[in-house]
Amino acid sequence: PSASPGSLGHHAMAWDAVRQEVILYGGYTGSAAPGGTWGWNGNTWANKSPAASPGAVYHHAMVWDSVRQEIVLFGGYRHSSTSPINETWVWNGATWTQKSPAVSPSPRYSHTMAWDAVRQEVVIHGGYTGSNYLDETWVWNGTTWTQKLPVHTPGARNETVMFWHPGE
């Protein structure tokens, strides 16, 4: 394609089912974190240039929320900071909006996120604080985060992948 987000690592991507495109956000070039929002329609990349965005973030996670029809982004590492963040942002196809829930997971990066279609909520597990690996499970209902305390967990981990399975 004539345009592209360039060489990035530690970015996140999610499918936007309403607009039928993959959205890529953030990432790290090795020396900078450009913080751009890009859309891939199957043929070409387009820089979305939204009015608001999460900024220079990498090691974050994103997932499509099919009930609220938006992409949810949580956490990551801000390039200008020395610690992870615990911000929640949503993409509506035109811009990013920061949410201010009463309760949020602790700051983290390299966590995993998935959409639970049965319970209709976003699920986060694990991550890294910069000094501790996390064995925490949180869910987002579009308004607030709630910590879950399952009897069995995958254990403390980071840089993993999680998907919802329709048979479970």
Side-chain angles (χ1 to χ4, degrees), residues 65 68 70 99 120-122 140-144:
D65 178 334
R68 285 159 280 283
E70 59 194 13
K99 297 295 185 173
Q120 299 186 338
E121 57 194 11
V122 171
W140 170 254
N141 65 8
T143 304
T144 193

Side-chain angles (χ1 to χ4, degrees), residues 31-112:
S31 61
T37 303
W38 289 81
W40 171 257
N41 66 10
N43 294 308
T44 189
W45 286 102
N47 186 343
K48 298 299 184 174
S49 302
S53 77
V57 176
Y58 54 101
H59 281 293
H60 53 290
M62 292 182 356
V63 71
W64 173 251
D65 178 334
S66 63
V67 170
R68 285 159 280 283
Q69 298 189 332
E70 59 194 13
I71 292 174
V72 180
L73 178 153
F74 180 80
Y77 202 87
R78 191 168 309 287
H79 186 61
S80 61
S81 176
T82 58
S83 59
I85 61 174
N86 68 337
E87 296 174 5
T88 303
W89 290 79
V90 296
W91 170 255
N92 67 6
T95 194
W96 290 97
T97 302
Q98 186 173 9
K99 297 295 185 173
S100 299
V103 177
S104 287
S106 61
R108 68 193 62 214
Y109 62 97
S110 297
H111 50 287
T112 189

Side-chain angles (χ1 to χ4, degrees), residues 103-139:
V103 177
S104 287
S106 61
R108 68 193 62 214
Y109 62 97
S110 297
H111 50 287
T112 189
M113 234 169 142
W115 172 251
D116 182 333
V118 170
R119 293 166 192 84
Q120 299 186 338
E121 57 194 11
V122 171
V123 181
I124 284 180
H125 182 77
Y128 188 60
T129 66
S131 58
N132 294 308
Y133 294 96
L134 300 169
D135 182 16
E136 295 179 351
T137 302
W138 289 80
V139 297

